[in-house]
Amino acid sequence: VRYLDYVNGRQGTYSDSSMSRGNILPLTCVPFGMNAFCPQTNGQSKQWFYHPNDTRLEGIRLTHQPSPWVSDYSAMLFGAQCGELNGHPAFYSGLYDRGNAALRPDYIRVGWHRYQAQMELTPTERCACFRVTYEADATPYFCISTPGRMEILCDPEERTACGAVRMAESCEDPNFRMYFVLQFEPETCDEANTIAMSADGSAVPGHLSEGEGVSLHVALKKRRTTVRMAISYISEEQAL
């Protein structure tokens, strides 16, 4: 018997700040994992970033928030776009098929009608593996952002995007940060079309972006690719 087949990840998620019906999130995470993952449907709602009745999808969020009543920290958002870029998740969100989304404890699958794209994720204790599939003809992008502060650098030759997130409202250490590394498949990164953006959506020269609300949009040469990521609270080298 596969007990995971009987888990309804949406149960208890139909809540908002005025009415509690469970106050949980459809988290994908291994037992005692360092990170959890969840669809983000409305990042503007702060800790209420997922609701089962929302029809738009912004991406898959790396989160450490067990309940909307507890603030998140070191959060990141991973999304997909095609064609003309928008820097803010609220602007590049798109309609998604809630009925066909898979929200399991061990696996996420979500898709965007707008970009004809699908993103899948499987977590490990400190890492995760994405698989992204694009069907549209326009240039595909793998998008990385955070609701906090971030320094992120893309190195197409090494096939990596690495940096640190600073987002911890209740932390006594102002320098607390989460380091991360993402690695792409060989011959996948399109250096010429990869774009770093500032919070206002303007392009930043080079592939380095720093500050509040910044993002990185890695252009891809393949319509189907795998991206692996790892995190550390100690150093970027440990994440590698």
Side-chain angles (χ1 to χ4, degrees):
V1 177
R2 282 180 51 86
Y3 295 108
L4 288 174
D5 294 338
Y6 296 92
V7 176
N8 179 1
R10 297 175 179 84
Q11 186 170 351
T13 63
Y14 184 49
S15 304
D16 56 40
S17 58
S18 62
M19 176 60 71
S20 299
R21 297 181 177 89
N23 289 331
I24 64 172
L25 294 162
L27 299 177
T28 296
C29 181
V30 300
F32 307 107
M34 298 288 286
N35 307 299
F37 299 87
C38 172
Q40 177 171 304
T41 57
N42 186 0
Q44 299 288 343
S45 293
K46 302 296 182 180
Q47 65 263 42
W48 304 92
F49 57 79
Y50 171 81
H51 194 281
N53 286 352
D54 286 343
T55 58
R56 300 184 69 83
L57 174 70
E58 295 178 358
I60 293 179
R61 178 167 174 146
L62 183 158
T63 177
H64 303 95
Q65 176 177 290
S67 164
W69 292 111
V70 181
S71 296
D72 206 349
Y73 68 91
S74 299
M76 299 180 69
L77 182 68
F78 306 95
Q81 288 191 70
C82 285
E84 184 177 354
L85 283 174
N86 287 296
H88 196 283
F91 298 139
Y92 68 69
S93 66
L95 294 175
Y96 82 113
D97 189 342
R98 294 173 298 173
N100 287 329
L103 306 180
R104 297 164 49 101
D106 61 333
Y107 172 73
I108 295 178
R109 183 189 67 244
V110 292
W112 291 261
H113 294 308
R114 178 178 181 180
Y115 304 115
Q116 300 176 51
Q118 177 179 273
M119 180 176 285
E120 302 166 89
L121 177 142
T122 299
T124 66
E125 187 179 38
R126 291 178 174 82
C127 312
C129 185
F130 296 86
R131 181 167 59 193
V132 195
T133 305
Y134 303 83
E135 296 182 8
D137 293 331
T139 301
Y141 292 90
F142 185 90
C143 308
I144 308 163
S145 61
T146 176
R149 294 185 60 84
M150 177 171 67
E151 306 101 43
I152 185 168
L153 172 66
C154 181
D155 187 339
E157 291 187 1
E158 296 293 330
R159 313 187 327 269
T160 60
C162 53
V165 173
R166 297 175 62 181
M167 174 193 169
E169 296 179 4
S170 308
C171 184
E172 295 183 2
D173 181 2
N175 295 315
F176 176 80
R177 60 183 63 193
M178 181 186 76
Y179 300 90
F180 64 87
V181 177
L182 291 96
Q183 186 163 56
F184 296 81
E185 288 183 347
E187 301 179 3
T188 295
C189 297
D190 181 352
E191 181 175 3
N193 289 310
T194 293
I195 299 175
M197 285 188 173
S198 61
D200 62 6
S202 59
V204 178
H207 297 146
L208 172 66
S209 192
E210 301 179 75
E212 191 89 22
V214 301
S215 58
L216 178 70
H217 306 265
V218 181
L220 305 173
K221 298 177 182 178
K222 298 180 179 180
R223 299 287 166 187
R224 185 181 179 92
T225 189
T226 299
V227 183
R228 294 174 172 83
M229 76 158 297
I231 67 101
S232 168
Y233 292 109
I234 297 175
S235 67
E236 188 178 300
E237 291 72 21
Q238 188 189 51
L240 278 168

